[in-house]
Amino acid sequence: MKKISRRTFNKTLSKGLGGAALVSSMPLAACGLNGTSKNQNSLGIALVGLGSYSTYQLAPALQDTHYCHLAGIVTGTPEKEQQWAKRYNIPKTHIYNYENFDAIAQNDDIDIVYVVLPNSMHADFSIRAAKAGKHVICEKPMAMNVEECNAIIDACKKAQVKLGIGYRLHSEPYTQEVKRLVREKTFGNINYISADAAYQSLTNPNQWRLNKSLSGGGALMNMGVYSIQSLIYGSGQNPVSVTAQEFSTRPDYFKDTDETITAQFEFPSGTVGQMMTSHNVRANRLFASCDKGWFELDPASTYIPLAGRTSRRELNFPQESQQKLQMDDFARHVLEGTPNKAPGEMGKRDMIIVEAIYNSIAGGNKKIALDLGHMGITDS
C-alpha cells in the first residue's frame, strides 16, 4: 500500500473538506473543558483529526457527555489549533500535531484517543495511541484491510488498553430495540433482511473518500459498513457466504473508487440477506420479514432523527446525539467495566466481509464462503 505523508494528507484533506474553513466559518464561543456538569471521574478525550465529523458531531457531543470530555486535539493545521483552543478553552499543552503526537503519553489529562482521520491513517495512530498508554476509539471502517485490524488489536492488547470502533448506532435506542426484537424473537424467525446505506456525492471529486490511497475503497468502505452492520444486528447472526456485484453510472466522477455495490448473504439459520451501498444514490433503510411480522428502520443510520416501525406498532424513542451516547458508553466501559458495545473484533469482522465482497466482485460475482463464528456479535 502506498504510504501517505503528513504533508500530502493535509493537502488532500484541505481539498476535500475546505481546510480550516470548517471551523473558521463557525461562531467561536468560550466554552471550558468542563463547561457542563461532569462525572467526577470523567475521562479526557483527544480528537485526532479535526475534519467535519470532529467539528460538527464529536466536539459538540463532548459538551454534553457525562463520563468523558474534550481534553485535547491533534491536527496538522495551525489555524485550527488557535480556533479550537479558543472555542473549547483547550490549553496549549493539550494540543498536538501529527509529528509530536507520541508526546501525548506524558499527558495524564488525556485518557482516550479518538482517531478521526482518513482510513489510511487509522492503524498508524491507533497503534501509536496504544503505545502511549491511551485507550483507543477508532472511527469506522477500522482500517484499510484485515492485516491492519489485527495490528491494532494486538497493539491494544499488548498495551493493556481498551479498544472501541466508532459504531455510534449500537448506543442509540432504535438500534437497541431492533437488537431486542431479534434477541427475543418477537416476530419469530427472520426469513429475509435487506439494508441500504447510500448518499449522492455530486460536486467534490477531490475529496479524500474518493481517493483510494486514502480511503481504501469507495462506497463500500464508507457507507457499506452500515449496511453490513444492519444485516448482522438485524438478524443476530454473522453471514456464512456473500456474493457481490459492482456497477458505475458516473465513471468520470468515480475514477478511483467504487460507486455502487450490491451483495447477497446467506446466514446459518437460512435467512437471506441483501445489501446496497452507493455514493450516487440516496437510501437509508433496514427491513426484515419474519415468520410472524416485520420490522424496519427508515432512516436507519443517519445521525438524527431516526424512525422505525413494526407490523404491530410505530417505534418512538427520544432523539439524542448518537455520538454523545457512544462516547459515554465507551467511557463507562473503561471506568466501570460495562460491555464494550463496539469492540475491535467487530471492526475486524466487518473488514473481513468487506474484503470478501471485493474478492467476489474481482472473481466475477463468485460466492465467497465466510467462517466468522460469533465474532463481533454483542448482545448489549
Side-chain angles (χ1 to χ4, degrees):
M1 180 184 73
K2 181 181 178 182
K3 294 293 183 181
I4 304 297
S5 69
R6 305 291 183 262
R7 181 175 298 177
T8 302
F9 160 66
N10 286 329
K11 183 177 180 182
T12 304
L13 189 62
S14 67
K15 286 181 180 180
L17 297 177
L22 278 170
V23 177
S24 60
S25 64
M26 299 171 61
L28 298 179
C31 179
L33 266 68
N34 295 300
T36 57
S37 176
K38 298 291 178 185
N39 184 300
Q40 183 176 324
N41 297 319
S42 174
L43 300 179
I45 290 185
L47 298 177
V48 185
L50 305 183
S52 61
Y53 193 59
S54 288
T55 301
Y56 298 123
Q57 302 299 330
L58 296 177
L62 282 165
Q63 307 315 298
D64 296 324
T65 43
H66 185 62
Y67 295 93
C68 54
H69 59 274
L70 179 60
I73 56 173
V74 182
T75 178
T77 307
E79 294 84 359
K80 290 185 180 182
E81 292 184 12
Q82 301 173 19
Q83 292 156 351
W84 279 65
K86 182 178 179 180
R87 181 174 179 84
Y88 295 111
N89 193 26
I90 300 173
K92 188 174 182 180
T93 54
H94 291 47
I95 298 175
Y96 302 86
N97 57 46
Y98 301 126
E99 282 69 37
N100 68 13
F101 169 76
D102 301 306
I104 206 168
Q106 281 73 56
N107 193 329
D108 292 336
D109 292 332
I110 294 173
D111 305 288
I112 300 169
V113 166
Y114 197 147
V115 179
V116 204
L117 294 163
N119 307 337
S120 62
M121 302 174 81
H122 285 188
D124 182 17
F125 279 87
S126 293
I127 292 169
R128 289 167 68 181
K131 289 180 177 179
K134 308 302 180 183
H135 304 291
V136 180
I137 304 175
C138 179
E139 192 44 49
K140 65 83 189 166
M142 183 174 176
M144 298 283 274
N145 49 57
V146 175
E147 182 180 1
E148 288 188 351
C149 293
N150 285 330
I152 294 171
I153 291 171
D154 290 346
C156 290
K157 286 182 178 178
K158 184 176 182 180
Q160 296 184 319
V161 297
K162 305 293 187 182
L163 170 63
I165 308 303
Y167 287 138
R168 54 189 161 78
L169 294 172
H170 287 274
S171 294
E172 70 82 32
Y174 285 88
T175 301
Q176 289 183 336
E177 176 66 1
V178 165
K179 295 173 78 170
R180 184 191 70 81
L181 295 174
V182 173
R183 185 170 60 250
E184 297 179 4
K185 291 198 170 186
T186 303
F187 298 103
N189 295 321
I190 298 170
N191 300 315
Y192 172 78
I193 186 167
S194 65
D196 301 331
Y199 68 86
Q200 283 187 301
S201 177
L202 299 173
T203 60
N204 190 6
N206 295 319
Q207 62 182 281
W208 70 262
R209 291 193 182 281
L210 303 185
N211 181 336
K212 192 173 183 179
S213 63
L214 291 172
S215 64
L220 182 61
M221 291 285 281
N222 182 18
M223 299 302 293
V225 292
Y226 289 117
S227 295
I228 292 168
Q229 282 268 302
S230 295
L231 291 176
I232 292 173
Y233 66 68
S235 67
Q237 313 165 75
N238 284 328
V240 294
S241 75
V242 62
T243 307
Q245 306 81 37
E246 175 187 357
F247 63 88
S248 177
T249 58
R250 294 169 58 206
D252 55 326
Y253 186 88
F254 301 101
K255 296 178 181 179
D256 198 32
T257 56
D258 46 278
E259 173 197 314
T260 301
I261 284 178
T262 55
Q264 300 77 47
F265 296 85
E266 294 175 331
F267 292 88
S269 67
T271 301
V272 174
Q274 162 76 29
M275 66 159 276
M276 185 278 291
T277 187
S278 178
H279 276 160
N280 196 38
V281 176
R282 289 190 180 93
N284 197 308
R285 183 176 184 245
L286 165 65
F287 174 81
S289 177
C290 315
D291 287 339
K292 302 175 184 178
W294 52 266
F295 59 83
E296 80 170 337
L297 298 181
D298 185 2
S301 59
T302 54
Y303 297 151
I304 52 176
L306 297 186
R309 59 207 59 81
T310 76
S311 50
R312 298 179 186 174
R313 63 185 177 92
E314 292 285 324
L315 302 181
N316 187 15
F317 297 102
Q319 303 282 351
E320 194 172 8
S321 166
Q322 298 160 8
Q323 291 78 12
K324 169 193 169 184
L325 298 173
Q326 169 210 335
M327 289 186 286
D328 261 348
D329 275 343
F330 183 74
R332 286 192 64 204
H333 170 62
V334 174
L335 287 167
E336 303 172 4
T338 56
N340 188 347
K341 293 181 181 294
E345 289 74 15
M346 183 184 287
K348 173 184 173 180
R349 175 204 64 195
D350 294 352
M351 188 51 56
I352 291 173
I353 296 172
V354 165
E355 288 190 356
I357 289 173
Y358 281 134
N359 287 337
S360 174
I361 293 168
N365 308 332
K366 177 182 177 181
K367 179 184 286 191
I368 304 294
L370 295 165
D371 184 13
L372 300 169
H374 202 70
M375 180 186 298
I377 299 286
T378 61
D379 293 331
S380 58

